[in-house]
Amino acid sequence: MATGIKDKVAVIGMGCTSFGEHWNKGPEDLMVDAFVEAIADAGIEKSQIEAAWMGNALDDINVGNSALPLAHALRLRGIPVSRVENMCATGSEALRAASYAVAAGAVDIALAVGVEKLKDTGYGGLPLRTKGLANDLWMPYGSAPGSFAQLAGAYAARHGIDKSDLKRAMAHVSWKSHQNAALNPKAHLRKAVDVETILKAPMIADPLGLFDCCGVSDGAACAIVTTPDIAKGLGIANPVTVKAIQLCASHGWELQYGEWDGSYVANTRQAAKRAYTEAGVEAPRRDLSVTEVHDCFSITELVTMEDLNLSDEGRAPFDILDGRFDREGVQPCQIDGGLKCFGHPVGASGLRMAYEVYTQLLGRAGDRQRGTVDLGLVHNLGGAPFNSIAAVSILGRLH
């Protein structure tokens, strides 16, 4: 029977660029910057890397539809290099591929890189001309804010929550991220914003205002993974290990039937359940020290707290307003500033989020460091609530 990958893969090095408007750099430059940090962190030679995966979601405006730009930029001589794409879960998909290769014994050391360069296009949002014939059939007039605004409306209706109460909880989500990002030199938006400013911001898609939406940015992040035994041979006595990586993709149920009421994301619930089982997490509210979730919109983070079983159904707004997920709260979420303040260079986000968990586990986060961190969770959500890919990864120490 399958035993999962818990503690079969060690993360020995990670790197992450600052996220922002990198007008003077191309995606190749960003990949190099992230890799230089990661390989110095790992303390290995580039020649020891035996396979690499590049995550890049919007190939037609970036690096192209193969992984050759990664091989060229990093001069990865003679090794297999692959490009992966899974919408907003692309960075997590790259990490999953590299981790599976190591866990399977196919290679000893593997590299996962995520990159996206969006600001040069001049678009205010994601520059999507088409995502293929299937998507063109079901989303001809859709938008990301519109899709997630529907999630907010459905959530409020299901749980009988007054719109103003939900709006204030959403504002707290964004307020929290801005507070945290002010302490993070790699975040794009580092200015604290008060709750009243957030509440009074222009409406984008009711009830989502300007500060309920994450921005667009450029960035790259990467991870170097190996086996725990090799990590120990490199002098890392208690390495960070992968406890679980699970993905769950929509199969059409939400789009085709009336059973789903639009108030939650079914894929996140399924991926989380499998990840907890793989990692041996029996009580996520007790066991998880920090979380990084896909806060493309403030309502997404709010609903995800329930989908991950970190709040009871219908209680996430109250847990948020009580400060449970604040930096000094019981279970911090987006302690680095999240997508809200990093922006969302699609291919890089999943690995950027893993980078924060890795940094917290190693006690390197400086002013935003959480005291004792045993387990951290990363959640990505690609697509829309009604047609999505959810990824849940859990990292911890080997012990």
Side-chain angles (χ1 to χ4, degrees):
M1 293 181 63
T3 58
I5 62 170
K6 179 182 178 182
D7 291 334
K8 295 179 181 178
V9 179
V11 184
I12 58 171
M14 290 201 76
C16 183
T17 68
S18 62
F19 279 32
E21 298 178 339
H22 290 291
W23 303 115
N24 60 337
K25 293 184 177 182
E28 295 82 4
D29 299 302
L30 296 174
M31 288 190 286
V32 168
D33 289 348
F35 178 72
V36 167
E37 180 184 353
I39 200 163
D41 184 28
I44 64 170
E45 298 297 324
K46 183 172 62 175
S47 60
Q48 293 175 261
I49 297 171
E50 297 175 321
W53 281 264
M54 180 186 74
N56 175 254
L58 304 174
D59 59 289
D60 56 344
I61 57 111
N62 264 279
V63 295
N65 61 357
S66 77
L68 285 174
L70 177 64
H72 291 179
L74 303 186
R75 297 293 192 265
L76 299 175
R77 183 184 297 270
I79 67 170
V81 181
S82 305
R83 175 180 175 265
V84 296
E85 186 274 327
N86 225 341
M87 302 177 80
C88 301
T90 293
S92 290
E93 186 68 83
L95 179 61
R96 185 173 76 119
S99 297
Y100 278 16
V102 168
V107 300
D108 285 332
I109 300 177
L111 170 69
V113 177
V115 64
E116 211 80 55
K117 188 82 169 67
L118 299 177
K119 295 302 295 185
D120 291 353
T121 67
Y123 282 79
L126 298 181
L128 300 178
R129 291 191 290 275
T130 178
K131 289 292 286 183
L133 296 179
N135 281 7
D136 287 348
L137 288 174
W138 61 263
M139 205 173 178
Y141 301 110
S143 71
S147 298
F148 285 88
Q150 290 178 328
L151 178 67
Y155 179 89
R158 175 174 181 172
H159 299 293
I161 296 176
D162 184 79
K163 179 179 176 180
S164 62
D165 293 335
L166 182 63
K167 183 71 174 172
R168 185 160 290 275
M170 289 162 48
H172 189 95
V173 167
S174 298
W175 170 85
K176 168 178 60 67
S177 290
H178 279 277
Q179 292 287 320
N180 295 344
L183 301 175
N184 193 339
K186 292 194 174 186
H188 187 171
L189 306 176
R190 299 191 58 206
K191 181 179 179 181
V193 181
D194 63 79
V195 170
E196 292 306 313
T197 298
I198 295 170
L199 288 170
K200 294 177 181 177
M203 193 66 70
I204 303 299
D206 193 10
L208 303 179
L210 177 64
F211 286 99
D212 293 308
C213 310
C214 82
V216 170
S217 62
D218 306 328
C222 70
I224 298 172
V225 296
T226 188
T227 67
D229 286 344
I230 292 174
K232 290 179 180 180
L234 293 170
I236 307 172
N238 184 19
V240 171
T241 58
V242 177
K243 304 294 184 180
I245 302 179
Q246 291 287 336
L247 268 72
C248 181
S250 291
H251 64 288
W253 169 75
E254 302 96 330
L255 285 167
Q256 297 172 13
Y257 302 100
E259 184 180 347
W260 180 65
D261 66 4
S263 67
Y264 63 98
V265 180
N267 292 346
T268 296
R269 296 188 177 196
Q270 294 175 56
K273 183 178 180 180
R274 294 204 297 260
Y276 293 151
T277 298
E278 184 174 31
V281 172
E282 297 180 355
R285 301 181 202 187
R286 178 198 67 199
D287 297 340
L288 296 175
S289 304
V290 294
T291 62
E292 289 282 318
V293 309
H294 202 89
D295 57 321
C296 49
F297 301 93
S298 56
I299 188 61
T300 320
E301 178 177 330
L302 185 152
V303 171
T304 299
M305 294 299 97
E306 297 180 17
D307 291 341
L308 294 175
N309 194 22
L310 302 179
S311 286
D312 291 336
E313 288 201 25
R315 296 299 303 174
F318 306 99
D319 288 342
I320 288 167
L321 290 170
D322 287 344
R324 177 178 177 83
F325 307 114
D326 290 359
R327 186 171 67 248
E328 303 301 330
V330 175
Q331 204 162 33
C333 180
Q334 324 300 42
I335 203 167
D336 64 343
L339 274 73
K340 176 66 192 71
C341 294
F342 268 83
H344 183 27
V346 182
S349 288
L351 280 161
R352 187 272 301 165
M353 297 157 84
Y355 176 87
E356 178 62 22
V357 171
Y358 174 81
T359 301
Q360 288 284 338
L361 285 163
L362 294 177
R364 300 176 178 175
D367 291 340
R368 67 183 187 281
Q369 177 66 44
R370 182 73 173 179
T372 301
V373 178
D374 296 316
L375 286 177
L377 177 146
V378 172
H379 160 264
N380 283 140
L381 184 68
F386 50 83
N387 196 39
S388 65
I389 298 163
V392 176
S393 308
I394 300 175
L395 303 178
R397 302 302 291 272
L398 183 59
H399 293 304

